[in-house]
């Protein structure tokens, strides 16, 4: 039997977010880090998620990597393919949501897909094509201050049209609430003149209706919420046996660390909260760039303090400070400095016997996990919606929690560490 859902995620937290929802929906899910060199046995899998770090790459490179992932997935003749991006539609001015969607459509010989970032359980909803984060429009939610992908427009038709090749329409809430048949009709009508349909979504019931209406679409695009609707559609068609598939993860001994490179509103609260009861060390891109501090200083500090409990390293800063740092170093350079430093730090900590990693931030997780070089992640129980406990498979099992910028509540770091015991 072929794989039902072949997924390409544009960052690492997004990939575990999606895998976590698929597993919770009862699908046996394999999560891969990058595109494997050869085929693997997926006969026991209902879904496969390939994690890329393509969200902020130049568009041409993001296209190349995403199409390579699709080509690899196509050997399993998946029922549907799924391009997973952020529930806050994080993208640079040039993309990559638009250009990658276009390239995937072309590759599959398709001419129409949906745009569905909604994740109601985490407060992301779409109404009249406008994206809300809890009570706020996207551009007033804090996402306007993202270091790499500031989102300054909540109108998804406009954002998508500015990046993509074709016309963008909307299937409004009134139609969505009338059920799958009416939504399907709306898709058929829109597809005559448009290439993408933003779908209004306020609840999981809407996602179920949308999932059913998408049954004939080969490519879907969205946040992790859409997976709930797609899984329900497969389940209703009797295509898989539903059961809780979250894996039993290994019991792992060894020290844990928290590492935060996210500067989101929620991560700032989580970092502040964790600092109240744990030792921490700040990572300053300006000091790294000037040579005022070096990796060795951090490792010495870690060696001196690892017995006090779990320590945290963080680059997390306020929007004002980030702007100042970027003004000196440049936007991309500042991120690159932080990400490279964190990747080196984690590699060194891994060599010092750290086996549990709680990481905040999508780009940050990508840099760090790439440095640790697992090929696969086993998805365990959910710590918070969209953030599972995961195990890096390999000679020595290690546990990770990859937290998307705004996910989890203020006590997330403590909760994740508790679940790693
Ligand atoms: N103090 C800082 N100055 C400049 N850039 C920073 C700083 N701290 C973090 N960054 C960068 O900001 C980006 C945050 O993105 P990411 O890790 O994806 O977080 P989120 O999940 O909140 O989107 C990363 O590239 C990170 O390296
Ligand atoms: O869809 C989401 O919100 C997440 O899965 C995600 O992609 C978040 O990205 P980061 O905030 O960059 O971690």
């Amino acid at each position: 039997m072929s794989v039902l859902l072949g997924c390409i995620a544009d960052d690492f937290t997004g990939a575990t977010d999606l895998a976590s929802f698929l597993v919770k929906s009862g699908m046996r899910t394999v999560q891969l880090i990058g595109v494997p060199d050869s085929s693997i046995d997926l006969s026991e899998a209902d879904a496969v998620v390939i994690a890329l770090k393509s969200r902020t790459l130049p568009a041409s490179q993001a296209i190349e990597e995403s199409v390579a992932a699709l080509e690899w997935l196509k050997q399993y003749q998946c029922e549907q393919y799924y391009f997973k991006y952020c529930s806050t539609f994080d993208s640079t001015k040039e993309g990559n949501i638009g250009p990658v969607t276009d390239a995937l459509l072309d590759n599959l010989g398709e001419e129409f897909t949906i745009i569905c970032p909604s994740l109601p359980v985490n407060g992301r909803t779409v109404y009249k094509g406008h994206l809300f984060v809890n009570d706020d429009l996207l551009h007033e939610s804090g996402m306007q201050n993202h270091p790499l992908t500031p989102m300054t427009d909540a109108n998804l038709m406009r954002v998508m049209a500015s990046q993509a090749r074709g016309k963008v329409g909307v299937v409004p809430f009134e139609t969505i609430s009338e059920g799958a048949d009416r939504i399907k009709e709306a898709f058929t009508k829109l597809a005559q003149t448009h290439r993408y349909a933003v779908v209004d979504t306020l609840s999981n019931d809407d996602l179920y209706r949308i999932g059913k209406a998408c049954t004939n679409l080969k490519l879907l695009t969205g946040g992790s919420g859409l997976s709930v609707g797609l899984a329900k559609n497969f389940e209703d068609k009797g295509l898989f046996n539903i059961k809780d598939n979250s894996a039993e993860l290994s019991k792992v001994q060894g020290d844990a660390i928290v590492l935060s490179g996210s500067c989101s509103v929620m991560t700032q609260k989580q970092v502040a909260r964790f600092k109240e009861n744990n030792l921490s060390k700040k990572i300053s891109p300006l000091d790294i760039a000037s040579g005022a501090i070096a990796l060795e200083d951090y490792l010495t500090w870690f060696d001196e303090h690892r017995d006090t409990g779990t320590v945290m390293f963080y680059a997390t800063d306020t929007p004002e400070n980030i702007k100042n740092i970027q003004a000196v170093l440049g936007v991309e350079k500042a991120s690159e400095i932080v990400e490279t430093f964190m990747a080196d730090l984690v590699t060194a900590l891994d060599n010092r016997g750290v086996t549990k990693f709680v990481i905040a931030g999508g780009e940050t997780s990508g840099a760090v996990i790439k440095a640790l070089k697992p090929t696969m992640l086993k998805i365990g129980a959910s710590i918070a919606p969209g953030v599972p406990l995961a195990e890096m498979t390999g000679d020595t099992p290690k546990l990770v929690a990859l937290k998307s910028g705004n996910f989890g509540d203020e006590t997330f770091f403590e909760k994740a560490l508790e679940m790693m015991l």
Side-chain angles (χ1 to χ4, degrees), residues 10-18 55 84-90 117 119 122 124 143 146 149 222-225 262 264 360-365 386 402-407:
D10 71 350
D11 85 341
F12 282 51
T13 46
T16 48
D17 171 16
L18 174 58
R55 187 172 291 172
K84 156 72 180 72
Y85 42 74
C86 192
S87 62
T88 42
F89 217 69
D90 297 18
L119 182 57
N122 278 348
R124 276 73 158 158
M143 280 306 298
H146 192 283
T149 51
S224 56
S262 162
S264 72
E363 296 295 326
T364 306
S365 295
L402 308 182
K403 190 197 77 74
S404 294
N406 272 310
F407 286 3

Side-chain angles (χ1 to χ4, degrees), residues 129-342:
H130 289 68
L131 181 54
F132 286 80
V133 180
N134 298 315
D135 297 334
D136 299 312
L137 282 160
L138 177 66
H139 62 279
E140 294 167 348
S141 68
M143 280 306 298
Q144 70 274 25
N145 296 319
H146 192 283
L148 291 176
T149 51
M151 297 308 293
T152 54
D153 191 357
N155 182 322
L156 296 180
M157 287 81 72
R158 214 157 39 208
V159 179
M160 185 65 183
S162 72
Q163 304 178 0
R165 224 165 58 207
K167 278 178 80 177
V168 194
V170 62
V171 180
F173 177 68
E174 292 82 353
T175 310
I176 301 288
S177 59
E178 281 172 14
D181 290 344
R182 284 286 296 115
I183 302 170
K184 225 173 174 179
E185 279 167 31
F187 288 163
T188 307
K189 192 157 174 236
L190 260 184
Q192 291 167 10
T193 45
H194 293 68
R195 197 163 154 87
Y196 336 89
V198 175
V199 284
D200 278 1
T201 319
L202 301 185
S203 66
N204 270 8
D205 282 343
D206 293 339
L207 289 167
Y208 296 142
R209 292 188 257 269
I210 292 165
K212 193 166 179 191
C214 283
T215 202
N216 294 330
L217 297 181
K218 203 68 188 165
L219 177 72
L220 293 319
T221 85
S224 56
L226 177 61
S227 68
V228 172
L230 299 177
K232 179 84 170 65
N233 182 46
F234 290 134
E235 183 197 337
D236 289 348
K237 287 161 113 183
L239 293 178
F240 73 95
N241 295 320
I242 184 158
K243 67 178 172 75
D244 181 357
N245 283 306
S246 45
E248 185 76 31
L249 303 186
S250 305
K251 282 269 167 241
V252 171
Q253 305 299 320
D255 286 342
I257 59 143
V258 174
L259 183 72
S260 178
S262 162
C263 301
S264 72
V265 175
M266 182 45 80
T267 303
Q268 298 206 39
K269 290 184 190 164
Q270 290 160 339
V271 165
R273 155 94 191 199
F274 195 73
K275 276 166 79 174
E276 287 171 13
N277 296 312
N278 297 269
L279 294 182
S280 59
K281 195 160 172 64
K282 189 164 181 168
I283 294 170
S284 156
L286 291 175
D287 286 348
I288 298 170
S290 70
I293 50 156
L295 185 62
E296 272 313 308
D297 303 323
Y298 283 74
L299 296 176
T300 306
W301 182 87
F302 176 74
D303 291 340
E304 286 168 2
H305 296 97
R306 68 188 295 177
D307 289 341
T308 63
T310 302
V311 299
M312 172 171 67
F313 297 98
Y314 67 101
T316 308
D317 217 330
T318 60
E320 299 72 41
N321 288 345
I322 299 287
K323 279 204 175 71
N324 292 336
I325 292 164
Q326 290 178 333
V328 177
L329 297 173
V331 172
E332 276 154 27
K333 191 73 193 159
S335 283
E336 191 191 311
I337 288 172
V338 174
E339 289 182 29
T340 306
F341 188 83
M342 287 189 167

